[in-house]
Amino acid sequence: MDLYEHQARQLFAEHGLLVPPAEVTDSPGGARDIARRLGGRAVVKAQVKTGGRGKAGGVRLAEDPEAAERTAREILSMTIKGHPVRTVMLARPVDIEAEFYVSYVLDRAAGRFLAIASAEGGTEIEEVAATRPEAVTRVPVDPAEGVTPEKAAEIVRAAGLPPRTADVLVRLWQVLVREDALLVEVNPLVRTAQGQLVALDGKVTLDGNARYRQARWDGQETTHEDPLEAAAAAKGLNYVKLDGEVGVIGNGAGLVMATLDVVAGSGARPANFLDIGGGASARIMSDGLSVVLSDPGVRSVLVNVFGGITACDAVADGIVRALDAVRPTKPIVVRLDGNNAARGRAVLGDRAHPLVHQAATMDAAARLAARLAHTS
């Protein structure tokens, strides 16, 4: 279950992370009143469960309460990536000296978490990851050991972050563990002109399987305003809609995130994040392809699977089933590696579907998927 930004910030504050004072409203008049309480100037932010709000005009600075009212009225009339804006959050502005990126995400295939950090946070973090991947550090985290001060210091050194960020990383890990989260992200984590480290924006995804022990979310509706996300959720898939043309399917959050980066580095844009998990059965593979291929913006699909718990021949069987059920009209590039990869490749070779292409490496698969997206 994804949280809204204001809910994520609430969790951060409860675990000792600094966040600017803020309030949420669903009316322009409420925005005016909140701005007054915040001191006049306020950042008005659309509350939707998707990225890219700033570039879409959903994050704006209002200089006074009257401007906050006008801005809130405009933002509340917007739809961002298929998500209608029903509430806005107004936050007190801060003087930003530097921006950083920190997050933890579950890597299902590896059975561990990844700490992902960069000394270059902000709205362009995806471009940084695509054009200069060396600027984004990935450090495996053993869930049994967690993020100790020593582990946090290791992440800080690897990413080139200020030493005091280690305390933030420890507290962010506490958010993940105590709230049963699959993803916690602060972007940007800013250093203010006063020298404070402040979580300016945040994202949290909770494990729906743990809701029974997280009483505060019992009344929280799990809604998906995007029809593709709703369809994926109904099939039990971990899917997030993006704004690109190459559909991406992988098993394990770390592998999928790496695939997104490689696709972007090949000159294309990922159309989605879809993690089919470490136990990617034939049925799950078929369901995943069905969802991705139903996106009208997708012009090619990249399936990147490392066989582990579920062998590659079972994944290939799922792809064949999807071909028969969905009747695709878009090219599909498949890269299989790991357990029974040779058998999986043979299954696809025997099917010999004209729209299915195989590649030996992730880089080659991404280049081919990008080229097919631009020519199909």
Side-chain angles (χ1 to χ4, degrees):
M1 179 177 71
D2 292 331
L3 299 185
Y4 289 101
E5 177 195 1
H6 67 273
Q7 295 171 322
R9 287 162 51 103
Q10 177 186 344
L11 294 183
F12 295 164
E14 291 174 3
H15 289 84
L17 295 170
L18 290 178
V19 297
E23 296 182 45
V24 178
T25 183
D26 60 0
S27 71
R32 179 190 62 240
D33 295 339
I34 292 172
R36 285 174 178 162
R37 289 194 291 272
L38 293 175
R41 297 176 76 236
V43 180
V44 186
K45 309 182 76 175
Q47 295 299 283
V48 289
K49 296 179 181 180
T50 187
R53 293 173 301 162
K55 292 182 178 180
V59 179
R60 306 182 202 175
L61 176 64
E63 294 292 342
D64 53 52
E66 289 68 30
E69 180 178 9
R70 292 193 302 271
T71 302
R73 180 176 292 106
E74 293 170 1
I75 293 178
L76 286 167
S77 68
M78 296 175 64
T79 296
I80 299 176
K81 295 184 180 179
H83 297 256
V85 181
R86 296 192 171 95
T87 59
V88 293
M89 183 183 75
L90 283 83
R92 182 175 295 162
V94 300
D95 295 326
I96 300 173
E97 188 176 83
E99 296 184 333
F100 314 111
Y101 175 93
V102 292
S103 72
Y104 297 114
V105 63
L106 176 64
D107 186 344
R108 297 178 188 272
R112 64 191 181 191
F113 284 86
L114 277 178
I116 304 175
S118 176
E120 302 180 39
T123 58
E124 303 301 328
I125 186 64
E126 291 87 358
E127 183 177 342
V128 171
T131 59
R132 290 185 296 108
E134 71 278 2
V136 180
T137 296
R138 294 171 173 81
V139 179
V141 176
D142 184 339
E145 298 178 2
V147 177
T148 62
E150 293 74 22
K151 187 67 174 182
E154 175 192 340
I155 299 167
V156 164
R157 289 192 298 270
L161 298 170
R164 289 189 297 117
T165 313
D167 180 65
V168 172
L169 289 169
V170 171
R171 294 178 186 275
L172 196 63
W173 179 257
Q174 292 171 354
V175 174
L176 183 138
V177 173
R178 295 176 184 173
E179 304 299 334
D180 288 309
L182 302 174
L183 165 71
V184 290
E185 174 186 276
V186 180
N187 184 39
L189 173 71
V190 303
R191 183 175 62 219
T192 69
Q194 294 74 36
Q196 295 178 309
L197 290 176
V198 178
L200 212 58
D201 198 347
K203 180 177 181 181
V204 173
T205 300
L206 302 178
D207 185 352
N209 295 315
R211 287 186 71 164
Y212 71 95
R213 62 185 184 193
Q214 297 292 344
R216 78 165 84 193
W217 307 116
D218 281 349
Q220 179 77 15
E221 291 291 332
T222 304
T223 59
H224 299 273
E225 290 159 346
D226 184 277
L228 287 173
E229 292 185 353
K235 297 176 182 292
L237 298 172
N238 184 15
Y239 172 94
V240 178
K241 179 78 171 70
L242 302 174
D243 278 344
E245 59 278 348
V246 176
V248 175
I249 302 175
N251 60 330
L255 179 61
V256 178
M257 292 184 70
T259 307
L260 300 183
D261 290 345
V262 174
V263 167
S266 299
R269 299 176 303 158
N272 64 271
F273 172 106
L274 177 50
D275 172 15
I276 56 175
S281 67
R283 180 190 61 79
I284 293 174
M285 187 70 247
S286 179
D287 287 345
L289 266 175
S290 297
V291 170
V292 172
L293 288 168
S294 65
D295 181 353
V298 166
R299 303 190 66 180
S300 71
V301 179
L302 170 54
V303 179
N304 188 17
V305 169
F306 186 87
I309 298 172
T310 298
C312 287
D313 54 342
V315 173
D317 183 54
I319 295 173
V320 170
R321 290 191 196 180
L323 295 174
D324 294 334
V326 180
R327 300 183 183 277
T329 59
K330 303 160 187 176
I332 302 169
V333 179
V334 182
R335 179 255 185 171
L336 300 175
D337 198 2
N339 186 15
N340 283 356
R343 291 185 190 175
R345 289 192 285 267
V347 168
L348 294 177
D350 291 344
R351 179 63 174 81
H353 194 285
L355 288 176
V356 176
H357 310 264
Q358 297 196 58
T361 67
M362 180 165 64
D363 287 344
R367 288 193 297 269
L368 178 56
R371 179 168 61 81
L372 291 170
H374 292 151
T375 58
S376 63

